Amino acid sequence: MVAIRLKWTVHRGDDGQYYVHETIGEQSAPVVSGPMTSEAAVNFVDEHENEARRRFELLRSEIAGRSSLADYERKGEA
C-alpha cells in the first residue's frame, strides 16, 4: 500500500498576505489558497490537518474492524 503524504506550507507573498500551499502526495503540484492573514493561514492549516487526522483514524478503525472480522470468519466463528 502506498502512503499518502499531506503537506501544508505557508508562504508570505510580496503583497504581505499569506498563502497556503497544500500538497497531497510526493509528485503532485501544490494547491494554493489565499490571500489571507497570518492567523487565517495558521487556522487553515490546523483545520485541514485535524480533518486529515480524523479521516485517517476513521479509515484505520474501518480497516482494523475488517481485519478482526476476517480473523473471526477464518476461525469459523462467524
Side-chain angles (χ1 to χ4, degrees), residues 9-13 15-22 31-38 40-41 44 48:
T9 308
V10 177
H11 294 276
R12 186 173 183 181
D15 59 359
Q17 294 289 309
Y18 291 84
Y19 298 83
V20 176
H21 294 233
E22 181 176 28
V31 174
V32 180
S33 298
M36 58 186 83
T37 65
S38 62
F44 180 95
H48 281 78

Side-chain angles (χ1 to χ4, degrees), residues 25-58:
E26 296 291 324
Q27 303 298 324
S28 66
V31 174
V32 180
S33 298
M36 58 186 83
T37 65
S38 62
E39 184 177 325
V42 170
N43 287 337
F44 180 95
V45 171
D46 287 345
E47 289 172 10
H48 281 78
E49 181 185 12
N50 289 338
E51 178 62 15
R53 284 186 190 281
R54 186 192 69 75
R55 292 177 72 184
F56 170 76
E57 291 300 328
L58 184 65

